């Protein structure tokens, strides 16, 4: 069984170009965690490509062995630093955690 952790954010930029720049900063902060946080099984971050006014801007798709692995990720110093980058730009967050 694998725990899937999906999070998506709506960003504060006024234009698509502003949100593109914010998304790039968020992706740069999150993507390395796939290699640096031991409990991460997989991690990818994606910028929304169409329907920019209706859809959310950035989505994280990650997997962990279990809830303990996700909890370890949440407090890992590199994740905490990445979360600070996200908080500078995000106006809303939605998440979903489920096991397959």
């Amino acid at each position: 069984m694998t725990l899937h952790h999906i999070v998506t954010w709506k960003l504060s930029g006024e234009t698509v170009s502003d949100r593109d720049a914010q998304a790039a900063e968020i992706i740069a902060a999150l993507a390395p965690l796939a290699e640096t946080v031991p409990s991460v099984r997989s991690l990818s971050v994606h910028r929304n490509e169409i329907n920019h006014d209706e859809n959310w801007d950035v989505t994280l798709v990650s997997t962990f062995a279990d809830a303990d692995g996700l909890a370890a990720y949440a407090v890992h110093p590199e994740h905490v630093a990445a979360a600070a980058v996200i908080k500078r730009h995000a106006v809303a967050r939605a998440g979903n955690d489920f096991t397959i």
Side-chain angles (χ1 to χ4, degrees):
M1 302 287 263
T2 299
L3 177 68
H4 295 256
H5 174 66
I6 315 293
V7 183
T8 190
W9 297 274
K10 192 72 168 166
L11 304 180
S12 63
E14 292 185 22
T15 67
V16 171
S17 179
D18 292 342
R19 293 189 302 275
D20 284 344
Q22 291 173 327
E25 189 176 344
I26 290 169
I27 291 167
L30 286 171
L33 302 182
E35 303 300 324
T36 60
V37 178
S39 64
V40 173
R41 284 190 170 174
S42 68
L43 183 147
S44 60
V45 192
H46 308 275
R47 172 68 171 111
N48 178 58
E49 297 176 10
I50 59 174
N51 297 323
H52 291 285
D53 291 331
E54 294 85 19
N55 291 343
W56 288 44
D57 298 298
V58 180
T59 301
L60 166 74
V61 179
S62 55
T63 60
F64 301 86
D66 52 29
D68 290 340
L70 176 58
Y73 164 80
V75 298
H76 191 281
E78 292 182 38
H79 173 263
V80 172
V85 172
I86 297 164
K87 288 178 183 179
R88 285 199 309 265
H89 301 303
V91 294
R93 175 194 182 278
N96 198 339
D97 300 306
F98 55 93
T99 302
I100 295 178

